[in-house]
Structure formats: C-alpha cells, structure tokens
Amino acid sequence: MGEIIVAIVIGFLGGFAGGLLGIGGGAIYVPGMVLLLDEDQKLAQGASLAAIIATAIVGSVANYRRENIDIPTVVLVAPVAVVAGFSAAFVADALHADVLRRIFAVVMLYLGATTVHAAWRGSRTPAQEGEAS
C-alpha cells in the first residue's frame, strides 16, 4: 500500500511540474521511481516517457487553447524530436543501467545548475535580449 501512495505522489508531482514548468515531469518521474520505488533505470525511463504522453497531451491542449503554442516551430521541432527519441531509445537500450543512471545524473545536474545560475542572475535568453533592442 505504501508503494502505491509513493507512486501516486510521484505521478502528482511529475504531472504538476510538467504542467507548471513544461518539463514533461521526467525530472521528477525518473529519480522518484529509481530512488523511491527501487525501479531499474531503464524501466523508470520507459515508464516516465509513457506517463509523459498523457501529461503532454493535456498540457498541449491547454496551451493551444490559450494560444501559447507557435505551430510553425512545432512543425520544425517535432519531427526531429521524434527521430531523436527513437534513436536515443536504441542507444539507451544498448547501455548498461548504471551508465544510463550516471548520464541522467550529469544531465540533471547540468540543467539544474544552469537553471539556478540563470535565475540567480535574472538573465534573459538571447532571443529576449534581441527583443529589447
């Protein structure tokens, strides 16, 4: 019963983070499943991606209704992302789970550090800086 509650909490936090921040929830789902539910890294990543489908659909519909989606950008990004996703899934399957976990940890640390650094400095993206000119 405790494991079910933990899984529900992971799902809630990942879904909330995905909806609020647009991160898809994977930053919550994968570590939560690996560390709290003792799932294998590969199984956690697969389950995370499956869960993200539902979150992405709901978030996309909500953002589309609010006109927060630039369709021409989606048309350019989405096909490449699909091909990259398939390719990365094959690479992930070929890697040992420990190696995959280390790669995931390094990427999460890097993204976290750069996000904290940008927030701390109050920095703007290059696109935002161009708009101010």
mmCIF file of all heavy atoms in Angstrom, residues 56 60 69-87:
data_model
loop_
_atom_site.group_PDB
_atom_site.id
_atom_site.type_symbol
_atom_site.label_atom_id
_atom_site.label_comp_id
_atom_site.label_asym_id
_atom_site.label_seq_id
_atom_site.Cartn_x
_atom_site.Cartn_y
_atom_site.Cartn_z
ATOM 1 N N ALA A 56 1.663 15.477 -21.665
ATOM 2 C CA ALA A 56 1.938 16.319 -22.832
ATOM 3 C C ALA A 56 0.659 16.635 -23.599
ATOM 4 O O ALA A 56 0.466 17.769 -24.060
ATOM 5 C CB ALA A 56 2.955 15.643 -23.744
ATOM 6 N N SER A 60 -0.583 20.333 -23.814
ATOM 7 C CA SER A 60 -0.607 20.899 -25.164
ATOM 8 C C SER A 60 -1.977 21.467 -25.506
ATOM 9 O O SER A 60 -2.087 22.559 -26.072
ATOM 10 C CB SER A 60 -0.219 19.837 -26.197
ATOM 11 O OG SER A 60 1.111 19.434 -25.995
ATOM 12 N N ILE A 69 1.150 28.238 -28.161
ATOM 13 C CA ILE A 69 1.944 27.317 -28.974
ATOM 14 C C ILE A 69 2.186 27.966 -30.327
ATOM 15 O O ILE A 69 1.247 28.413 -30.989
ATOM 16 C CB ILE A 69 1.230 25.959 -29.156
ATOM 17 C CG1 ILE A 69 1.109 25.251 -27.806
ATOM 18 C CG2 ILE A 69 1.976 25.088 -30.156
ATOM 19 C CD1 ILE A 69 0.400 23.913 -27.867
ATOM 20 N N ASP A 70 3.443 28.017 -30.729
ATOM 21 C CA ASP A 70 3.809 28.536 -32.040
ATOM 22 C C ASP A 70 3.874 27.339 -32.997
ATOM 23 O O ASP A 70 4.848 26.586 -33.006
ATOM 24 C CB ASP A 70 5.161 29.244 -31.952
ATOM 25 C CG ASP A 70 5.592 29.828 -33.278
ATOM 26 O OD1 ASP A 70 4.715 30.237 -34.069
ATOM 27 O OD2 ASP A 70 6.811 29.872 -33.533
ATOM 28 N N ILE A 71 2.801 27.137 -33.756
ATOM 29 C CA ILE A 71 2.661 25.964 -34.616
ATOM 30 C C ILE A 71 3.823 25.825 -35.600
ATOM 31 O O ILE A 71 4.348 24.711 -35.763
ATOM 32 C CB ILE A 71 1.290 25.974 -35.350
ATOM 33 C CG1 ILE A 71 0.145 25.943 -34.336
ATOM 34 C CG2 ILE A 71 1.187 24.819 -36.337
ATOM 35 C CD1 ILE A 71 0.095 24.707 -33.461
ATOM 36 N N PRO A 72 4.291 26.883 -36.282
ATOM 37 C CA PRO A 72 5.429 26.696 -37.198
ATOM 38 C C PRO A 72 6.677 26.133 -36.499
ATOM 39 O O PRO A 72 7.395 25.314 -37.069
ATOM 40 C CB PRO A 72 5.687 28.109 -37.738
ATOM 41 C CG PRO A 72 4.352 28.789 -37.632
ATOM 42 C CD PRO A 72 3.732 28.240 -36.377
ATOM 43 N N THR A 73 6.902 26.541 -35.263
ATOM 44 C CA THR A 73 8.039 25.993 -34.515
ATOM 45 C C THR A 73 7.815 24.524 -34.206
ATOM 46 O O THR A 73 8.729 23.710 -34.340
ATOM 47 C CB THR A 73 8.261 26.794 -33.210
ATOM 48 O OG1 THR A 73 8.512 28.155 -33.547
ATOM 49 C CG2 THR A 73 9.435 26.241 -32.423
ATOM 50 N N VAL A 74 6.605 24.162 -33.817
ATOM 51 C CA VAL A 74 6.278 22.762 -33.535
ATOM 52 C C VAL A 74 6.495 21.909 -34.781
ATOM 53 O O VAL A 74 7.052 20.802 -34.705
ATOM 54 C CB VAL A 74 4.825 22.612 -33.024
ATOM 55 C CG1 VAL A 74 4.436 21.146 -32.893
ATOM 56 C CG2 VAL A 74 4.664 23.327 -31.696
ATOM 57 N N VAL A 75 6.074 22.419 -35.936
ATOM 58 C CA VAL A 75 6.224 21.677 -37.196
ATOM 59 C C VAL A 75 7.698 21.411 -37.492
ATOM 60 O O VAL A 75 8.050 20.360 -38.030
ATOM 61 C CB VAL A 75 5.535 22.441 -38.356
ATOM 62 C CG1 VAL A 75 5.895 21.859 -39.705
ATOM 63 C CG2 VAL A 75 4.024 22.449 -38.158
ATOM 64 N N LEU A 76 8.568 22.328 -37.117
ATOM 65 C CA LEU A 76 10.006 22.136 -37.334
ATOM 66 C C LEU A 76 10.636 21.226 -36.288
ATOM 67 O O LEU A 76 11.463 20.375 -36.599
ATOM 68 C CB LEU A 76 10.726 23.487 -37.326
ATOM 69 C CG LEU A 76 10.407 24.431 -38.480
ATOM 70 C CD1 LEU A 76 11.044 25.786 -38.230
ATOM 71 C CD2 LEU A 76 10.871 23.838 -39.798
ATOM 72 N N VAL A 77 10.253 21.414 -35.034
ATOM 73 C CA VAL A 77 10.896 20.702 -33.935
ATOM 74 C C VAL A 77 10.393 19.264 -33.783
ATOM 75 O O VAL A 77 11.185 18.338 -33.568
ATOM 76 C CB VAL A 77 10.706 21.483 -32.614
ATOM 77 C CG1 VAL A 77 11.163 20.678 -31.422
ATOM 78 C CG2 VAL A 77 11.435 22.806 -32.672
ATOM 79 N N ALA A 78 9.098 19.051 -33.880
ATOM 80 C CA ALA A 78 8.500 17.747 -33.564
ATOM 81 C C ALA A 78 9.046 16.578 -34.388
ATOM 82 O O ALA A 78 9.409 15.550 -33.815
ATOM 83 C CB ALA A 78 6.978 17.823 -33.672
ATOM 84 N N PRO A 79 9.136 16.675 -35.715
ATOM 85 C CA PRO A 79 9.647 15.515 -36.459
ATOM 86 C C PRO A 79 11.074 15.137 -36.072
ATOM 87 O O PRO A 79 11.409 13.955 -35.944
ATOM 88 C CB PRO A 79 9.586 15.964 -37.926
ATOM 89 C CG PRO A 79 8.621 17.089 -37.953
ATOM 90 C CD PRO A 79 8.711 17.747 -36.603
ATOM 91 N N VAL A 80 11.903 16.141 -35.865
ATOM 92 C CA VAL A 80 13.285 15.878 -35.460
ATOM 93 C C VAL A 80 13.318 15.256 -34.069
ATOM 94 O O VAL A 80 14.080 14.319 -33.803
ATOM 95 C CB VAL A 80 14.126 17.173 -35.513
ATOM 96 C CG1 VAL A 80 15.549 16.918 -35.052
ATOM 97 C CG2 VAL A 80 14.109 17.750 -36.918
ATOM 98 N N ALA A 81 12.459 15.742 -33.175
ATOM 99 C CA ALA A 81 12.389 15.203 -31.822
ATOM 100 C C ALA A 81 11.945 13.745 -31.834
ATOM 101 O O ALA A 81 12.456 12.923 -31.057
ATOM 102 C CB ALA A 81 11.444 16.038 -30.971
ATOM 103 N N VAL A 82 11.016 13.398 -32.714
ATOM 104 C CA VAL A 82 10.553 12.005 -32.811
ATOM 105 C C VAL A 82 11.693 11.095 -33.266
ATOM 106 O O VAL A 82 11.940 10.041 -32.671
ATOM 107 C CB VAL A 82 9.340 11.895 -33.762
ATOM 108 C CG1 VAL A 82 9.031 10.445 -34.093
ATOM 109 C CG2 VAL A 82 8.124 12.570 -33.140
ATOM 110 N N VAL A 83 12.403 11.503 -34.293
ATOM 111 C CA VAL A 83 13.529 10.701 -34.786
ATOM 112 C C VAL A 83 14.607 10.589 -33.705
ATOM 113 O O VAL A 83 15.146 9.499 -33.456
ATOM 114 C CB VAL A 83 14.113 11.307 -36.083
ATOM 115 C CG1 VAL A 83 15.410 10.613 -36.487
ATOM 116 C CG2 VAL A 83 13.089 11.217 -37.212
ATOM 117 N N ALA A 84 14.914 11.699 -33.049
ATOM 118 C CA ALA A 84 15.920 11.683 -31.983
ATOM 119 C C ALA A 84 15.474 10.792 -30.831
ATOM 120 O O ALA A 84 16.293 10.068 -30.245
ATOM 121 C CB ALA A 84 16.188 13.106 -31.485
ATOM 122 N N GLY A 85 14.181 10.824 -30.505
ATOM 123 C CA GLY A 85 13.659 9.982 -29.429
ATOM 124 C C GLY A 85 13.820 8.506 -29.733
ATOM 125 O O GLY A 85 14.236 7.721 -28.875
ATOM 126 N N PHE A 86 13.483 8.107 -30.963
ATOM 127 C CA PHE A 86 13.682 6.705 -31.354
ATOM 128 C C PHE A 86 15.155 6.321 -31.294
ATOM 129 O O PHE A 86 15.518 5.275 -30.757
ATOM 130 C CB PHE A 86 13.157 6.458 -32.780
ATOM 131 C CG PHE A 86 11.705 6.109 -32.838
ATOM 132 C CD1 PHE A 86 10.806 6.967 -33.448
ATOM 133 C CD2 PHE A 86 11.230 4.925 -32.293
ATOM 134 C CE1 PHE A 86 9.454 6.660 -33.512
ATOM 135 C CE2 PHE A 86 9.888 4.600 -32.347
ATOM 136 C CZ PHE A 86 8.995 5.467 -32.966
ATOM 137 N N SER A 87 16.001 7.177 -31.831
ATOM 138 C CA SER A 87 17.442 6.897 -31.838
ATOM 139 C C SER A 87 17.987 6.775 -30.421
ATOM 140 O O SER A 87 18.742 5.851 -30.104
ATOM 141 C CB SER A 87 18.191 8.013 -32.577
ATOM 142 O OG SER A 87 17.719 8.138 -33.892
#
